[in-house]
Amino acid sequence: MRRRSLLIAVPAGLATLAACGDEGSDSGKASDSAAPTDGATSSEAPAPKIVDGPLPEVTAGTKFDEKPTVAKGPGEPSDQLAVKTLIAGGGRTVAEGDYIQANYLGQVWDTAKVFDNSYDRKTPLVIQLSQGSIIDGWRYALTGKKTDSRVLFSVPPTWGYGEGGNENAGIKGTDTLVFVVDLQATFNSRSSAEGTDVAQDDIDVPKVGTNTDGKAPAIEIPDAEAPTDLVANYVIEGDGPEVGAEDSVLVQYKGVLWDGGKEFDSTYGRDALTSFSLQQVVKGWAQGLTGKKVGSRVLIVIPPKLGYGDQPPSGSDIKKDSTLVFSVDVLAKM
């Protein structure tokens, strides 16, 4: 089924993030100085060599997930990618194409001017390590690293913003950039909810499988009339932050029809996660996920009045006035 089948607007794709924050940026939104803009390079450049240095010193904030202070670059930077793991974590290995959740600080080599950091916003960045979603320097520097690691690296223009630089961030086309990245988590198409199973005692609502092996959970539709009001119940309750009504989320999900239980959409079938803003989906999704905790699996039963009503997506298996049933794993808040 098409990716946009449950969305009512263009998804909040991570590749579209291009804003560059500063010390006074909105604390509720993660800007993305590592994401490409019109001036950013792509993989047209050959892969860089990974070298040990030179790299500036982290002079304060040396603990994992603590805002760092980084000195000016020592002399001339490398024309390749200098990478150093400052704290070696023991978590999952990051692969290219994964989504990562990370805190980071970025500054200019020559001046030590900080052009963006997520620590002050208290909102980690969630973004995909793939071509077109993020500057190449991040992809090459972070692929193969483990979560719970702190990585220091420098990115010359070739694998950063190229000759055009990034005017919004004050980055010139000749600037080498320095990043400190604290890798908190990584997600891929095998990721699942992580938390505590919640009793599913209501015999009049669907029962959802609690497997956390990355495979699609079973959804059992009861022999009962479809509810006329929204149902949004924990199947697995995570311990992450609550999702707000204006947040974007990274999810795994599976959707079936109440009548007959036929699957009409699934990230599992596409072997790819998806992300979107709760302001861009049908009301049942927005209301059902608001207030739920990151890390959870949620059963959402959406009556027609909060779904598609008499205007289902064209070309889909959703008929007029269908009641929709979803299992949603909320992997991260963005």
Side-chain angles (χ1 to χ4, degrees):
M1 197 61 195
R2 295 172 299 175
R3 172 173 180 168
R4 294 177 59 188
S5 63
L6 69 87
L7 301 179
I8 60 175
V10 176
L14 294 174
T16 66
L17 295 175
C20 283
D22 54 33
E23 299 300 317
S25 54
D26 181 358
S27 62
K29 300 292 182 181
S31 73
D32 184 14
S33 61
T37 64
D38 291 340
T41 60
S42 66
S43 291
E44 295 175 356
K49 295 179 181 179
I50 305 298
V51 298
D52 294 331
L55 283 166
E57 181 183 0
V58 176
T59 59
T62 58
K63 297 178 181 179
F64 182 81
D65 246 1
E66 183 179 19
K67 181 184 176 181
T69 301
V70 185
K72 286 176 58 175
E76 290 297 316
S78 173
D79 62 357
Q80 299 298 312
L81 203 64
V83 182
K84 183 177 182 180
T85 300
L86 301 180
I87 299 172
R92 297 175 181 171
T93 300
V94 174
E96 184 165 356
D98 284 0
Y99 288 82
I100 60 166
Q101 177 176 298
N103 270 322
Y104 70 98
L105 178 141
Q107 68 183 44
V108 177
W109 177 281
D110 289 336
T111 63
K113 178 184 177 182
V114 174
F115 55 82
D116 194 17
N117 86 89
S118 64
Y119 302 92
D120 289 347
R121 290 189 295 272
K122 303 187 185 305
T123 304
L125 172 70
V126 177
I127 198 164
Q128 190 175 23
L129 284 185
S130 65
Q131 181 184 355
S133 292
I134 200 164
I135 57 174
D136 286 341
W138 273 56
R139 294 196 298 117
Y140 290 118
L142 298 178
T143 295
K145 303 300 183 185
K146 292 183 180 295
T147 56
D148 302 323
S149 295
R150 167 169 281 194
V151 185
L152 169 68
F153 56 99
S154 66
V155 180
T158 302
W159 295 282
Y161 293 97
E163 295 179 356
N166 186 324
E167 183 177 355
N168 290 335
I171 298 170
K172 301 192 297 288
T174 56
D175 284 338
T176 289
L177 310 178
V178 177
F179 291 97
V180 176
V181 177
D182 289 324
L183 286 167
Q184 296 179 340
T186 185
F187 308 99
N188 57 36
S189 60
R190 296 174 299 283
S191 296
S192 291
E194 296 181 357
T196 303
D197 292 359
V198 176
Q200 301 180 65
D201 297 330
D202 190 341
I203 63 173
D204 292 326
V205 301
K207 186 173 182 179
V208 178
T210 57
N211 58 296
T212 56
D213 54 3
K215 296 180 181 179
I219 301 177
E220 299 177 12
I221 306 296
D223 185 14
E225 291 294 321
T228 56
D229 294 321
L230 178 72
V231 175
N233 297 339
Y234 282 120
V235 176
I236 299 173
E237 184 172 356
D239 60 2
E242 291 187 357
V243 175
E246 297 183 356
D247 285 334
S248 294
V249 289
L250 178 69
V251 300
Q252 287 265 41
Y253 71 87
K254 173 182 174 180
V256 303
L257 300 173
W258 182 283
D259 292 334
K262 181 178 181 179
E263 180 180 312
F264 60 85
D265 196 10
S266 170
T267 56
Y268 303 95
R270 292 193 294 275
D271 196 31
L273 303 178
T274 193
S275 63
F276 51 81
S277 165
L278 292 191
Q279 295 181 312
Q280 293 177 303
V281 291
V282 293
K283 290 180 180 179
W285 266 72
Q287 295 176 16
L289 292 183
T290 297
K292 294 298 189 286
K293 297 175 184 176
V294 170
S296 300
R297 176 170 297 165
V298 182
L299 163 70
I300 305 178
V301 182
I302 304 178
K305 63 185 178 183
L306 296 177
Y308 293 109
D310 62 358
Q311 295 182 319
S314 115
S316 75
D317 291 322
I318 301 173
K319 307 302 181 184
K320 290 183 178 181
D321 298 321
S322 291
T323 296
L324 311 178
V325 181
F326 290 95
S327 169
V328 186
D329 284 16
V330 185
L331 302 177
K333 183 170 74 168
M334 303 164 66

